[in-house]
Amino acid sequence: MSKVVVMDHPLIQHKIGIIRKKETGSKDFRQLISEIAMLMCYEATRDLKLEEIDIETPICKAVVKELKGKKLAVVPILRAGLGMVEGMLSIIPAAKVGHIGLYRDPETLEPVEYYCKLPEDIAEREVYVVDPMLATGGSAAAAIELLKQKGAKKIHFMCIVAAPEGIERMKKEHPDVDIYVGTRDEKLNSHGYIVPGLGDAGDRIFGTK
Ligand SMILES: O=P(O)(O)OC[C@H]1O[C@H](OP(=O)(O)OP(=O)(O)O)[C@H](O)[C@@H]1O
Ligand SMILES: O=c1cc[nH]c(=O)[nH]1
Ligand SMILES: [Mg+2]
């Protein structure tokens, strides 16, 4: 069964408070999304396995710990997920980056796929799928289904704002995927937007409408 981790770190909560404000402009919004992603990445990578290796410091021989085995990949769901990539890479710089392009049809709320480019060895990597918003869960569930079809085995999903509906859908459709959530909001409105949410994350990151 997947675990759902809701972040309680005060820095994350403070920064989410600022991006919710309608007067926060694209420049600050982008910067904050990146900072939140970095802080969430720190928490989401807590369970990575370590192994001991022998080294020599300038003083003597020593045993140190390094990350074991699996290499990492970050996979943003376009467009809004792109805003989280830089923050993730700032602390896991050796990760490769795949891209999955999905947009949500405004009428049906169903995800429409338009792009997919993944590292060749995605099956051997531990994958962090990132998207600031988990609303109905349709986009995240479809992206993870695609990754599984391409052979990915160990997948995590990270979002900044989640609706309860999206969390439930992910637990049901992908019970093997751990979910890291910046904040769990109240509900979806009749247009499928998260309440109170922060509006359309992609538009706010890129200054479109
Ligand atoms: O959980 P869901 O109901 O699928 O909604 C969430 C999706 O909607 C947004 O993308 P959007 O379709 O606005 O595309 P964009 O990132 O290009 O703006 C968001 O970034 C998620 O990908
Ligand atoms: O509230 C929402 C729901 C889906 N996508 C967004 O960007 N915001
Ligand atoms: Mg959008």
Side-chain angles (χ1 to χ4, degrees), residues 26-199:
S26 283
K27 178 169 158 286
D28 290 341
F29 191 92
R30 242 191 333 263
Q31 174 69 31
L32 286 157
I33 289 275
S34 188
E35 291 172 3
I36 294 165
M38 189 260 282
L39 294 166
M40 287 186 66
C41 183
Y42 178 76
E43 292 284 343
T45 49
R46 189 175 284 283
D47 295 336
L48 286 176
K49 301 282 177 289
L50 292 170
E51 65 184 338
E52 293 190 335
I53 56 159
D54 299 315
I55 61 140
E56 276 186 49
T57 75
I59 309 297
C60 66
K61 289 183 193 289
V63 178
V64 298
K65 292 175 180 169
E66 70 173 22
L67 289 175
K68 183 179 178 180
K70 276 210 179 100
K71 295 178 279 186
L72 308 180
V74 177
V75 178
I77 301 177
L78 308 183
R79 287 174 304 164
L82 286 174
M84 296 175 71
V85 174
E86 196 186 308
M88 300 284 294
L89 293 180
S90 68
I91 55 169
I92 48 169
K96 290 210 168 153
V97 182
H99 295 86
I100 294 180
L102 290 176
Y103 71 86
R104 195 172 72 150
D105 183 290
E107 301 300 324
T108 64
L109 302 183
E110 288 300 316
V112 181
E113 186 192 328
Y114 60 89
Y115 189 74
C116 180
K117 180 83 179 175
L118 300 171
E120 255 176 32
D121 58 353
I122 194 74
E124 284 104 58
R125 289 181 179 266
E126 187 145 349
V127 182
Y128 292 83
V129 178
V130 297
D131 190 327
M133 310 304 279
L134 180 69
T136 65
S139 303
I144 288 164
E145 188 54 44
L146 192 56
L147 277 161
K148 287 181 176 173
Q149 282 169 19
K150 304 277 183 189
K153 285 167 202 78
K154 182 68 188 162
I155 305 173
H156 311 258
F157 177 71
M158 292 172 54
C159 66
I160 296 177
V161 182
E165 293 87 336
I167 295 175
E168 285 314 307
R169 180 158 178 180
M170 285 288 290
K171 281 164 63 180
K172 197 159 157 235
E173 291 190 24
H174 296 293
D176 52 325
V177 172
D178 289 337
I179 307 170
Y180 299 87
V181 174
T183 184
R184 186 179 189 276
D185 273 13
E186 269 169 56
K187 59 179 181 184
L188 293 177
N189 69 15
S190 57
H191 303 289
Y193 276 85
I194 302 175
V195 180
L198 45 74

